[in-house]
Amino acid sequence: HLLLFLLFVGPFNCFASYSRATELFYSLNEGLPAGVLIGSLARDLRLPTAGGQHPAALRPPLSFTLASHGLGGQYVQLDNRSGELHTSAVEIDREALCVESSGATILGSSAVSSSSPSSEPCLLLLDVLILPQEYFRLVKVKIAIRDVNDNAPRFPVPHIHLSVPENAPVNTRLAIEHPALDPDMGTNSVQTYRLRDNYGVFTLDVEENESGERTPYLIVMGALDRETQEEYVTVIVAEDGGTPPLVGSATLTIGISDVNDNCPQFNDSQLNVTLYGNSSLGTHVATVHAVDVDLGSNAQVTYSYSQKVHQPSRDLFHLNESTGAVTLSTKVDGDTPKLHRLIILGNGPGCIPAVITVLVTIIKVMMRPPEVVPRFIANEVEGVVYLKELEPINTPIAFFTIKDPDEKYKVSCYLDGDGPFRLSPYKPYNNEYLLETTKPLDFEAQQLYEISVVAWNSEGFRINKVIKVQVLDDNDNSPVFSEQLIELSIEENNVPNAFLTKLHATDADSGERGQVSYFLGPDAPSYFALDKTTGVLTVSTQLDREEKEKYRYTVKAVDSGFPPRESIATVTITVLDKNDNSPRFINKDFSFFVPENFPGFGEIGVISVTDADAGQNGWVALSVLNGSDIFVIDTGKGVLRAKVSLDREQQSSYVLWIEAVDGGDPALSSTAKITILLLDINDNPPLVLFPQSNMSYLLVLPSTLPGSPITEVYAVDKDTGMNAVIAYSIIGRRGPRPESFRIDPKTGNITLEESLMQNDYGLYRLLVKVSDHGYPEPLHSTVMVNLFVNDTVSNESYIESLLRKEPDISVEEKQPQISIEPTHKKMESASCMPTLVALSIICLGSIALVTGMGIYICLRKGKRHHREDENLEVQIPLNGRINLHMLEKKPVEISNI
């Protein structure tokens, strides 16, 4: 709106100079990617650039703007500064663009124009404004969208039916009503049609109308005969003119319609028939039958006598026009001719009649044959008796009256034919006979019986009455599965709706009573489905063998009789394993406490691992990823062992990574962390670091005050815990007054106990025992502390000679007592206060630390209480006697290794 306002309020002379509209025309292919250059408006309009009338510094920059971002604006990108027009990310589809647009062009907006998408050019219309005002111009840009061959021909229906009369002459043309459609235009549209199989009698031609539409025509190239082949099925292929060409196809069914090109024909030209003169009215004489191979009304045949047949013969024998049956219509008497020539015509529409001659010879007899008169009890229609199967034994069918019409001769009868029937006299009457069943009828065994009641008189004259018995089906058979136990298998992780099998059950009954439907039993899981009609069994979800390996349920086959009958089969499905589970360690981290000096290849602990898969997929092999030069694992039992004896003083702990690999293909694996903590054993005696030699000595002045420190014994122990707690004691003394010196059992400090006198001068030799507190037996070392009490050392060689002599010292066997002994010096209360405060703080901190650790251990034990049975840690007490061979270890089962 602001732009329009500026246009109208700007200087009129400037507006008048540049108000003319300019048109630019571009063309591009459809389907181009984003960023393709369409054209440069600044270059094509030859707008002023650097070097024009105005200096470049004074010329305002040009601005290009789409007047409206309508339908066409979404397909292009306009650079506001350079005026270059590019394709946008929205792909241009000529067929969709021109069909969907309304074709209207609106001032100040953009639209698409195409009067006919198939023939006229498809235009994209844009309005571009060029600013600033002194260069204002409205540019109408027309972009012609060129067609590319991106659509294949497509028939509107997959099956095309065409009817051709069998008498169609050669070169008959028939239009195919459903030509292929191709939204492309020009040569990219449909150009040709062809048949994949023309059977040697068809070809195709294409006609183009004024609007350019191409219609395929089927041309008959040879003679057709419906009676030889009534249908031709082929494929019609449409091909466009693109490069490369694209094709589409549909099934073409050519039906050959019937015309009346065949006439009735008799198989024989003459029939010879003999008729007894005493035959009763309605006696069947003969039946003629002519065949017309045409269809429908063209094959309808009627029968009539030829005009050559004499009227007496016409009166004596009746001809059925529809069936061709000839029957006796009047009584034969003495005046009836013995020979009758019946010429019968088979008439078809538009045909010359077919001719057959029936010669009837009448034999005159002096007596009449016996009569058989039936009276049906069961349902009877036109000589056919209908009985249901499973009717009880002795079901009556009909009464037969046997008599001699002349009442001169004795008449007897019997039943001729196979079947469960019996004809017996019905007493007390002499000439009455009852026809009945002797056992239940079975439709599945036999559906139709044909029997005859034969009567003859004493003169040997015979006559028979034919009876047909049609057995009606009843629902007396249940469906029968081909297998009562249907065993199936399927791999786990199957696709949804996977096919399992197709059930098949048969029912010997007929009609609806033999139609079988299939149903799942009540014990079938809901994710199994059984098609009621086809019997196809599917599973709608993925099966997991680790969740359930076997399924067993029933299926039913039910017929459609009333009441319905059913049978049951059992389906068992075995879910086959796939290697879809990695080995799983019982714990992510294992910790084992092992005493040092543990013998080589001794059992450190058992690594328990499982694999939910089965068979080879569940076989697990264990290996040590690191530290394999020291540790080894039994891949079958999961027992972890050390190849060498372990020394805590060299390394106090080991961290191993154990890998478990299953036997699947491809194999799956997992790892677990193993921490081995070595427990200290008292295997190192204390090592005395000072004094460094038993031959060293120290000068003690006689003026030394009681309680003064003289020297110290310093020792270390490589063990830990109580095994490294050292106690010092003097176990042997020698000197003028050897009890004058005392050693602190905890620190090893040697102090003077009493004042030295004149007669206390001389060499003192103290045998100091340095002992740890190891269990079960403490270890110790000894050192000789030599003290020389004198004012000076005037003769060192004399002292060294004394030291070289073996000292005669009696050993005092007493355990050192580590306790805090009261000092011989009285301390002032003020000097003890800081020490007491510091000790109190340390004690409180220790109590808090111990309490926190206790709570943490209790909570951790509570969390792992449910896994106590799976705990693989071997707890070795710090105190108590340790027997490496009798060390109790918790047995752990390793499954699937």
Side-chain angles (χ1 to χ4, degrees):
H1 294 158
L2 178 60
L3 177 62
L4 293 177
F5 175 76
L6 292 174
L7 292 177
F8 281 99
V9 302
F12 181 77
N13 58 347
C14 213
F15 177 80
S17 300
Y18 297 98
S19 62
R20 67 185 183 278
T22 305
E23 287 190 356
L24 289 177
F25 183 82
Y26 299 105
S27 65
L28 77 160
N29 292 340
E30 62 174 326
L32 292 178
V36 175
L37 177 64
I38 301 173
S40 174
L41 273 65
R43 183 186 65 239
D44 298 336
L45 293 174
R46 299 180 180 178
L47 295 177
T49 57
Q53 297 177 356
H54 303 285
L58 301 178
R59 183 183 302 120
L62 296 179
S63 173
F64 300 85
T65 308
L66 287 175
S68 174
H69 294 277
L71 177 62
Q74 64 179 323
Y75 298 105
V76 297
Q77 289 287 344
L78 178 61
D79 191 301
N80 292 339
R81 295 299 180 188
S82 66
E84 289 185 348
L85 200 62
H86 296 83
T87 57
S88 69
V90 180
E91 184 178 295
I92 298 177
D93 185 0
R94 188 197 67 83
E95 291 76 28
L97 190 65
C98 292
V99 171
E100 293 176 359
S101 77
S102 62
T105 304
I106 304 171
L107 182 64
S109 63
S110 58
V112 178
S113 175
S114 176
S115 59
S116 175
S118 61
S119 60
E120 298 296 329
C122 179
L123 297 178
L124 192 65
L125 305 182
L126 303 172
D127 291 342
V128 179
L129 297 176
I130 301 177
L131 294 175
Q133 183 176 352
E134 56 265 30
Y135 298 106
F136 171 76
R137 184 177 299 184
L138 174 63
V139 181
K140 291 186 175 294
V141 179
K142 294 182 180 180
I143 304 174
I145 309 302
R146 292 193 298 265
D147 182 50
V148 297
N149 191 28
D150 58 345
N151 292 279
R154 184 177 61 86
F155 286 90
V157 293
H159 299 278
I160 301 174
H161 296 273
L162 194 63
S163 179
V164 181
E166 63 177 328
N167 62 346
V170 175
N171 293 327
T172 299
R173 300 171 66 88
L174 297 150
I176 297 176
E177 299 297 333
H178 301 285
L181 305 177
D182 192 330
D184 294 325
M185 64 180 295
T187 58
N188 292 332
S189 63
V190 178
Q191 299 296 314
T192 60
Y193 292 87
R194 68 175 185 273
L195 295 176
R196 288 188 182 171
D197 187 359
N198 57 18
Y199 295 95
V201 292
F202 299 106
T203 187
L204 288 179
D205 189 18
V206 180
E207 290 186 3
E208 184 174 355
N209 59 16
E210 295 179 356
S211 62
E213 295 179 353
R214 296 174 180 264
T215 302
Y217 281 81
L218 181 72
I219 302 176
V220 179
M221 300 298 294
L224 303 175
D225 185 5
R226 188 205 62 82
E227 289 72 32
T228 302
Q229 185 167 349
E230 63 181 3
E231 186 179 74
Y232 297 88
V233 179
T234 184
V235 175
I236 181 173
V237 179
E239 183 175 309
D240 62 22
T243 304
L246 302 178
V247 298
S249 63
T251 302
L252 176 62
T253 302
I254 306 171
I256 309 302
S257 60
D258 185 55
V259 296
N260 191 27
D261 58 346
N262 292 280
C263 292
Q265 296 289 333
F266 287 107
N267 293 331
D268 299 313
S269 61
Q270 180 174 313
L271 290 178
N272 296 320
V273 179
T274 299
L275 180 68
Y276 289 104
N278 60 353
S279 298
S280 58
L281 297 178
T283 300
H284 178 266
V285 178
T287 298
V288 296
H289 181 67
V291 178
D292 191 327
V293 294
D294 291 327
L295 292 177
S297 61
N298 294 331
Q300 190 173 4
V301 180
T302 60
Y303 303 93
S304 63
Y305 283 128
S306 170
Q307 294 181 358
K308 296 180 180 180
V309 178
H310 300 297
Q311 191 62 40
S313 297
R314 291 173 180 264
D315 297 338
L316 183 62
F317 300 103
H318 174 262
L319 174 63
N320 190 306
E321 293 184 355
S322 300
T323 64
V326 179
T327 57
L328 185 65
S329 60
T330 60
K331 277 284 188 179
V332 177
D333 55 23
D335 298 332
T336 302
K338 294 182 180 181
L339 183 63
H340 295 267
R341 188 181 184 89
L342 305 178
I343 301 175
I344 300 175
L345 306 178
N347 306 296
C351 291
I352 299 174
V355 180
I356 188 172
T357 300
V358 180
L359 290 178
V360 181
T361 303
I362 299 177
I363 301 175
K364 293 185 178 180
V365 294
M366 300 303 296
M367 61 179 178
R368 291 182 291 174
E371 293 182 355
V372 178
V373 181
R375 299 191 303 279
F376 291 98
I377 302 171
N379 183 28
E380 180 267 341
V381 177
E382 296 183 356
V384 180
V385 177
Y386 296 91
L387 289 178
K388 288 185 177 181
E389 64 174 334
L390 303 181
E391 289 282 359
I393 300 175
N394 302 326
T395 296
I397 299 175
F399 278 113
F400 289 90
T401 301
I402 310 298
K403 63 180 180 179
D404 181 17
D406 298 326
E407 298 182 355
K408 294 181 180 180
Y409 305 101
K410 181 181 178 181
V411 180
S412 301
C413 70
Y414 66 93
L415 187 64
D416 186 24
D418 296 329
F421 304 103
R422 177 176 59 215
L423 183 67
S424 57
Y426 190 74
K427 297 181 180 180
Y429 306 104
N430 293 328
N431 59 344
E432 297 289 340
Y433 292 86
L434 177 64
L435 178 64
E436 58 186 356
T437 61
T438 58
K439 63 180 182 179
L441 303 177
D442 187 358
F443 174 85
E444 290 71 36
Q446 188 170 346
Q447 293 87 36
L448 181 65
Y449 295 90
E450 188 170 320
I451 57 178
S452 298
V453 177
V454 181
W456 80 98
N457 58 20
S458 55
E459 296 298 323
F461 199 91
R462 296 173 179 269
I463 191 171
N464 65 329
K465 178 68 175 178
V466 178
I467 301 171
K468 294 181 180 180
V469 179
Q470 177 68 54
V471 182
L472 301 178
D473 188 29
D474 200 357
N475 193 31
D476 60 335
N477 290 279
S478 299
V480 177
F481 281 100
S482 56
E483 296 176 304
Q484 287 298 312
L485 179 61
I486 304 165
E487 297 179 327
L488 308 173
S489 63
I490 184 174
E491 278 194 343
E492 62 176 331
N493 304 329
N494 55 282
V495 297
N497 300 316
F499 173 84
L500 293 175
T501 188
K502 183 176 182 180
L503 303 180
H504 180 65
T506 57
D507 194 316
D509 294 323
S510 63
E512 292 184 354
R513 292 173 290 273
Q515 294 180 358
V516 179
S517 300
Y518 302 90
F519 302 94
L520 290 172
D523 54 345
S526 60
Y527 38 83
F528 288 96
L530 179 59
D531 189 278
K532 175 182 177 181
T533 305
T534 63
V536 172
L537 182 63
T538 57
V539 56
S540 61
T541 187
Q542 282 191 347
L543 300 180
D544 186 359
R545 188 204 66 83
E546 288 71 37
E547 182 179 338
K548 190 172 184 180
E549 184 176 5
K550 288 188 178 293
Y551 294 87
R552 184 183 181 92
Y553 53 86
T554 58
V555 290
K556 294 192 299 183
V558 183
D559 63 22
S560 301
F562 184 80
R565 300 173 71 96
E566 67 180 39
S567 62
I568 297 177
T570 301
V571 175
T572 62
I573 300 174
T574 301
V575 183
L576 303 179
D577 184 54
K578 293 181 71 175
N579 192 29
D580 58 344
N581 290 277
S582 301
R584 186 178 67 87
F585 288 93
I586 299 301
N587 294 324
K588 290 292 184 182
D589 298 326
F590 293 85
S591 296
F592 297 105
F593 293 89
V594 181
E596 63 174 332
N597 300 330
F598 198 65
F601 291 98
E603 182 178 325
I604 295 176
V606 179
I607 311 300
S608 182
V609 62
T610 62
D611 194 313
D613 293 322
Q616 186 172 347
N617 294 333
W619 297 351
V620 179
L622 297 175
S623 61
V624 181
L625 295 180
N626 62 325
S628 57
D629 54 340
I630 300 177
F631 297 94
V632 65
I633 190 167
D634 187 334
T635 188
K637 298 181 180 179
V639 177
L640 182 64
R641 306 175 188 273
K643 298 179 182 179
V644 297
S645 180
L646 304 178
D647 187 358
R648 189 204 64 80
E649 285 71 35
Q650 293 183 4
Q651 187 170 343
S652 61
S653 65
Y654 296 87
V655 176
L656 304 179
W657 289 96
I658 303 297
E659 182 183 36
V661 181
D662 62 23
D665 184 19
L668 300 178
S669 63
S670 61
T671 57
K673 180 182 178 183
I674 312 296
T675 302
I676 302 173
L677 300 174
L678 297 183
L679 300 177
D680 184 48
I681 292 180
N682 193 25
D683 58 345
N684 290 281
L687 176 62
V688 178
L689 300 179
F690 185 83
Q692 297 179 355
S693 171
N694 290 334
M695 301 299 291
S696 62
Y697 65 95
L698 180 67
L699 177 65
V700 180
L701 298 176
S703 59
T704 302
L705 297 177
S708 298
I710 304 301
T711 184
E712 68 171 345
V713 177
Y714 178 69
V716 295
D717 197 315
K718 294 182 180 180
D719 296 321
T720 60
M722 294 301 294
N723 295 332
V725 176
I726 298 175
Y728 301 88
S729 62
I730 298 174
I731 60 173
R733 302 169 184 263
R734 183 175 178 82
R737 192 155 54 97
E739 64 274 6
S740 300
F741 298 95
R742 175 184 174 273
I743 189 168
D744 189 299
K746 293 176 63 177
T747 64
N749 290 333
I750 298 176
T751 58
L752 180 63
E753 286 288 296
E754 300 174 357
S755 299
L756 297 173
M757 301 299 180
Q758 185 68 30
N759 55 354
D760 294 334
Y761 286 36
L763 180 62
Y764 290 79
R765 307 196 74 177
L766 305 178
L767 181 60
V768 177
K769 180 180 180 181
V770 183
S771 175
D772 60 23
H773 282 62
Y775 182 86
E777 293 183 0
L779 301 179
H780 68 274
S781 300
T782 59
V783 65
M784 187 69 74
V785 178
N786 301 306
L787 302 175
F788 184 63
V789 179
N790 201 2
D791 291 327
T792 61
V793 179
S794 57
N795 190 353
E796 291 185 3
S797 59
Y798 170 72
I799 299 175
E800 291 175 358
S801 65
L802 294 177
L803 294 176
R804 282 193 293 268
K805 292 181 180 180
E806 188 69 28
D808 183 13
I809 300 176
S810 60
V811 178
E812 304 172 4
E813 289 296 338
K814 64 177 181 178
Q815 293 295 331
Q817 299 296 325
I818 300 179
S819 61
I820 301 176
E821 296 182 0
T823 180
H824 291 277
K825 294 185 178 180
K826 295 182 180 180
M827 298 182 180
E828 297 181 359
S829 59
S831 63
C832 293
M833 187 59 65
T835 303
L836 293 175
V837 171
L839 290 175
S840 300
I841 294 174
I842 292 173
C843 292
L844 290 175
S846 301
I847 293 172
L849 179 61
V850 172
T851 304
M853 292 181 65
I855 295 173
Y856 172 77
I857 292 172
C858 291
L859 291 176
R860 188 173 180 87
K861 286 184 177 180
K863 288 182 179 179
R864 298 186 179 180
H865 183 269
H866 66 285
R867 296 189 295 175
E868 285 182 354
D869 292 338
E870 300 175 1
N871 188 9
L872 301 181
E873 295 183 358
V874 180
Q875 299 292 341
I876 300 179
L878 293 176
N879 296 320
R881 185 176 298 273
I882 300 175
N883 190 328
L884 299 182
H885 299 284
M886 299 301 294
L887 185 63
E888 181 183 357
K889 297 179 179 60
K890 197 172 201 177
V892 180
E893 294 294 330
I894 299 180
S895 60
N896 293 331
I897 294 184

